[in-house]
Amino acid sequence: DVQLVESGGGLVQAGRSLRISCTASGFTLDDYNIGWFRQAPGQGREGVSCIATEDGAKFYADSVKGRFTISSDNFKNTFYLQMNSLKPEDTAVYYCKIRDFGGVYEYWGQGTQVTVSS
């Protein structure tokens, strides 16, 4: 049984902050690389941030660098995306994703809506 459950999305004013989370069940998050993607209406799914769990390296899309922070808590089997200084262009459905180290298995969360108003 593998499941990713996202939470924390909502409607915020530009300049505000929001933290979304992804909780895993049925497996140990330590065994997977983790990341966040987003999809705006009419757009493709865009990579936002990820952690290469094997060495802890973190990566960010240029559009969010300096504003967003990805983190993980293995004790809670949860990872997060802290979003600061939000902009209207950050509006999207945000999806968490995990992938095993061998690149064979990939799982997605259900998505959580983040809407940033001007």
Side-chain angles (χ1 to χ4, degrees):
D1 182 41
V2 176
Q3 188 175 53
L4 298 176
V5 178
E6 300 180 41
S7 63
L11 173 64
V12 298
Q13 290 283 332
R16 298 281 297 278
S17 297
L18 201 64
R19 189 179 75 162
I20 55 177
S21 63
C22 181
T23 298
S25 62
F27 58 92
T28 301
L29 204 54
D30 273 341
D31 295 330
Y32 295 84
N33 293 315
I34 61 177
W36 291 96
F37 288 71
R38 66 186 182 186
Q39 188 167 18
Q43 306 296 315
R45 195 165 293 186
E46 173 192 21
V48 176
S49 183
C50 67
I51 299 176
T53 298
E54 291 165 288
D55 62 10
K58 299 179 181 179
F59 304 90
Y60 298 93
D62 288 342
S63 58
V64 307
K65 197 171 298 180
R67 299 187 297 119
F68 290 11
T69 303
I70 189 171
S71 62
S72 62
D73 184 340
N74 289 327
F75 180 77
K76 297 180 182 292
N77 220 33
T78 299
F79 61 102
Y80 307 90
L81 186 67
Q82 176 68 44
M83 301 177 287
N84 297 329
S85 302
L86 282 162
K87 304 174 180 179
E89 51 262 45
D90 295 319
T91 295
V93 178
Y94 284 72
Y95 299 89
C96 59
K97 188 197 78 173
I98 64 171
R99 193 180 79 167
D100 75 290
F101 298 152
V104 176
Y105 300 101
E106 191 173 86
Y107 303 97
W108 293 84
Q110 83 281 7
T112 185
Q113 177 71 47
V114 173
T115 302
V116 185
S117 61
S118 300

